[in-house]
Amino acid sequence: MSNARKIIIDTDPGQDDAAAIMLALGSPEEIDLLGITAVAGNVPLSLTARNARIVCELCNRADVKVYAGAERPVARPLVTAEHVHGKTGLDGPVLAEPTMPLQEEHAVDFIIETLLAEDAGTVTLCTLGPLTNIALALTKAPEIAPRIRELVMMGGGFFEGGNITPAAEFNIYVDPEAAEIVFRSGIPIVMMPLDVTHRVLTHKARVQKIREIGSPAAIAMAEMLEFFERFDIEKYGTDGGPLHDPTVIAYLLRPELFTGRDCNVEIETNSALTAGMTVVDWWQVTGREHNAKVMRHIDDQGFFDLLTDRLARI
């Protein structure tokens, strides 16, 4: 494990979050998962903390420590997405209640303590949901910011627009104030926006390949994807829906699958029309300092080949 990249996954599972966690757990030579922190987002915190443990147990990894974090955004009421993910967040398969314990420590304290205990520049934060836990950690302990190797996040959109409002992607929209704190922190950020994730579609043939692996985890994932995609197939008129969150883990494993550029990204927190919008200076017209590497393209078949391969290792 000495050469494995140390990561914390901050997540609000969500079927696509589950796929991201499975991709990490299927890649132990490359990824050392220090812990999973749950945040309210797709569904309330009680369910996201439950769902993270269900996914770990599906992968026979009850040893992974899961921590519950923020129940609500920094400055506004919680918005959830049961209309996409179902009432549990992992609708689709029949899933047993988790038996592994939730850790007693708060997720924010775990993030701070881990970043202070590990060597500076060795821990990557992988954020799959609203950025509330990260913003709270940065506010409580600003000294952690320069110790973070990188923050790789799913969130935002620019040419692709939004998916919860015309302007805003869900993760940023839920807690724009938290996103603003993170983007102004000086942490090296890699952003996986809708411009990338909308290219990664769960075509029937791709889901079938996952189902054919035959393991409990793979069959559950296929059933989750078949439920999850129904909303987006109707919305976008595509064969399959976007598989957002695993792009974060795929970037750590195969960065060559992605292309993008360094940009300035500002977060809109005030406007009623565009709250949660990621204002990406793709064409470098503002002169504002770069604060994120923003991805725009992905080798979508290469991504699905990687995901299928790693699910087969679980």
Side-chain angles (χ1 to χ4, degrees):
M1 293 293 280
S2 57
N3 293 323
R5 184 160 179 165
K6 294 177 179 178
I7 73 167
I8 295 170
I9 292 179
D10 187 71
T11 180
D12 61 338
Q15 292 90 346
D16 56 328
D17 305 72
I21 294 167
M22 288 186 184
L23 182 54
L25 293 177
S27 308
E29 294 85 8
E30 293 127 309
I31 289 181
D32 179 8
L33 180 55
L34 302 179
I36 296 175
T37 51
V39 67
N42 286 322
V43 287
L45 180 68
S46 60
L47 288 172
T48 61
R50 164 191 179 265
N51 293 349
R53 289 177 290 149
I54 287 174
V55 175
C56 290
E57 290 188 358
L58 268 174
C59 299
N60 298 310
R61 287 297 306 275
D63 59 299
V64 176
K65 290 183 165 58
V66 177
Y67 302 82
E71 289 184 296
R72 63 185 66 83
V74 168
R76 54 184 76 202
L78 176 65
V79 175
T80 55
E82 287 88 352
H83 63 290
V84 178
H85 298 275
K87 66 182 187 301
T88 69
L90 293 182
D91 278 23
V94 176
L95 296 167
E97 287 297 317
T99 58
M100 61 188 276
L102 191 63
Q103 301 300 306
E104 290 186 11
E105 188 176 17
H106 193 281
V108 170
D109 296 321
F110 166 74
I111 291 167
I112 292 169
E113 288 175 16
T114 303
L115 289 167
L116 293 177
E118 298 286 345
D119 291 342
T122 61
V123 177
T124 298
L125 301 182
C126 298
T127 64
L128 314 178
L131 290 162
T132 316
N133 285 339
I134 312 304
L136 292 172
L138 288 166
T139 302
K140 187 172 182 179
E143 66 273 19
I144 64 175
R147 302 183 67 85
I148 297 167
R149 175 174 173 178
E150 199 168 42
L151 186 148
V152 186
M153 59 171 289
M154 190 277 131
F158 46 114
F159 297 114
E160 191 69 12
N163 63 353
I164 185 74
T165 72
E169 178 275 328
F170 178 81
N171 287 342
I172 308 298
Y173 177 79
V174 169
D175 200 344
E177 285 77 15
E180 183 176 48
I181 290 168
V182 171
F183 274 88
R184 292 187 174 177
S185 67
I187 300 167
I189 294 172
V190 178
M191 176 174 152
M192 294 294 165
L194 298 177
D195 302 78
V196 164
T197 66
H198 279 185
R199 297 170 188 269
V200 182
L201 297 178
T202 55
H203 298 328
K204 287 183 176 61
R206 291 169 169 172
V207 176
Q208 183 58 25
K209 276 195 169 179
I210 290 171
R211 183 185 291 280
E212 286 170 0
I213 294 167
S215 66
I219 292 169
M221 178 48 55
E223 291 176 352
M224 285 185 212
L225 294 179
E226 285 167 355
F227 177 90
F228 175 55
E229 69 189 9
R230 89 216 177 285
F231 175 80
D232 286 326
I233 289 171
E234 186 176 330
K235 181 174 166 186
Y236 299 115
T238 50
D239 172 16
L243 192 53
H244 307 283
D245 292 333
T247 58
V248 169
I249 306 301
Y251 177 78
L252 300 185
L253 297 169
R254 295 283 185 274
E256 67 274 10
L257 294 174
F258 301 85
T259 55
R261 64 170 67 160
D262 292 324
C263 296
N264 175 267
V265 181
E266 300 293 332
I267 310 297
E268 179 57 63
T269 58
N270 295 315
S271 163
L273 273 179
T274 59
M277 183 177 182
T278 44
V279 183
V280 176
D281 183 12
W282 184 261
W283 300 119
Q284 318 285 316
V285 294
T286 64
R288 292 194 288 252
E289 194 174 339
H290 294 160
N291 61 352
K293 184 179 288 294
V294 181
M295 295 301 154
R296 187 172 181 187
H297 296 289
I298 181 172
D299 173 355
D300 59 315
Q301 190 53 51
F303 164 85
F304 273 99
D305 290 344
L306 173 66
L307 177 63
T308 307
D309 172 69
R310 297 310 165 89
L311 287 173
R313 298 183 186 189
I314 292 170

